[in-house]
Amino acid sequence: MLLEQLNALLVKTSISLTENQKQQLVDYVELLDKWNKAYNLTSVRDPKEMMVKHILDSLVVAPHLSGKHYIDVGTGPGLPGIVLAIALPDTEFVLLDSLGKRVRFLTQVKHALGLKNVTPVQSRVEEYQPSVKLDGVLSRAFASLEDMVQWCTHLIDSSGRFVALKGMYPQDELDSLPEGISLEQNITLQVPDLEGERHLIILTKD
């Protein structure tokens, strides 16, 4: 049922996945549903809703990422990091969260799905020091743009990007950005069967 739903949703996008990638996404939703009962990882309880609100909502970001090393800060149960790691197997993702139960879940997902390009890390974002230069910081419902920039600026160099998945266009947050940070791109995302606006905000260091 979930695989059929995923296929029907993908038809409405320009994203093409292999059968193995599709199965990995379905397996991820099933793991999330199973662990959610004990660990309360997401407020979305219905796996069919997860497919739209979590999987597709994260997946639509994939075509807009360039570079090979990203960190997903405040990843929670792996959103968007796990989904993007499945869609972009040649890109490395550090999944950062401060809560141990979430990192344990992410470690289980990594092993269960055989994801070689995922590194779950338990840490506060301010204290984390990456071992390689990162091409971008990802965030989905993590913090305001101002906080994201303030907490994460040490994670990327002058060529890195801040990539934030937002709902409505965050004009107030953009107006509050510190000096030295610019809006490079605003991308309006189309998420099949999801109500409401979705924007991908990409910021750069001047």
Side-chain angles (χ1 to χ4, degrees), residues 5 45 80 114 145 162 199:
Q5 181 193 10
R45 300 290 176 195
L145 294 176
F162 299 95
H199 288 90

Side-chain angles (χ1 to χ4, degrees), residues 32-141:
L32 187 52
D33 180 45
K34 178 183 172 184
W35 279 61
N36 204 35
K37 292 175 174 67
Y39 281 75
N40 198 28
L41 298 166
T42 168
S43 59
V44 181
R45 300 290 176 195
D46 181 354
K48 289 182 182 175
E49 274 191 65
M50 289 180 190
M51 194 60 82
V52 174
K53 292 182 177 178
H54 289 335
I55 304 305
L56 263 292
D57 192 48
S58 299
L59 202 55
V60 292
V61 176
H64 305 292
L65 295 188
S66 57
K68 292 301 178 189
H69 294 94
Y70 281 86
I71 183 167
D72 179 11
V73 291
T75 185
L79 299 163
I82 288 285
V83 178
L84 294 172
I86 290 170
L88 303 167
D90 295 330
T91 302
E92 298 286 330
F93 291 89
V94 173
L95 308 184
L96 193 77
D97 204 277
S98 59
L99 273 187
K101 68 177 183 179
R102 293 179 185 151
V103 176
R104 284 193 293 277
F105 171 69
L106 295 171
T107 302
Q108 176 64 28
V109 169
K110 173 180 176 165
H111 292 309
L113 304 187
L115 297 175
K116 306 277 193 257
N117 58 333
V118 163
T119 306
V121 175
Q122 183 180 351
S123 173
R124 292 173 58 81
V125 65
E126 306 95 305
E127 296 163 4
Y128 180 70
Q129 295 294 335
S131 57
V132 297
K133 180 183 80 71
L134 298 168
D135 295 300
V137 176
L138 292 164
S139 122
R140 178 182 185 260

Side-chain angles (χ1 to χ4, degrees), residues 134-206:
L134 298 168
D135 295 300
V137 176
L138 292 164
S139 122
R140 178 182 185 260
F142 166 61
S144 70
L145 294 176
E146 186 178 10
D147 285 345
M148 181 189 181
V149 169
Q150 184 179 339
W151 296 339
C152 302
T153 195
H154 68 286
L155 299 174
I156 55 175
D157 65 13
S158 58
S159 62
R161 304 280 188 273
F162 299 95
V163 183
L165 189 52
K166 293 285 184 178
M168 293 178 66
Y169 186 71
Q171 187 63 58
D172 289 352
E173 293 182 31
L174 288 166
D175 290 343
S176 302
L177 286 176
E179 281 190 26
I181 301 293
S182 299
L183 173 65
E184 181 183 73
Q185 205 173 2
N186 163 49
I187 300 165
T188 302
L189 298 171
Q190 302 297 329
V191 184
D193 295 3
L194 185 71
E195 293 182 13
E197 293 179 35
R198 300 304 275 156
H199 288 90
L200 192 66
I201 304 296
I202 302 178
L203 307 175
T204 58
K205 295 181 181 181
D206 296 341

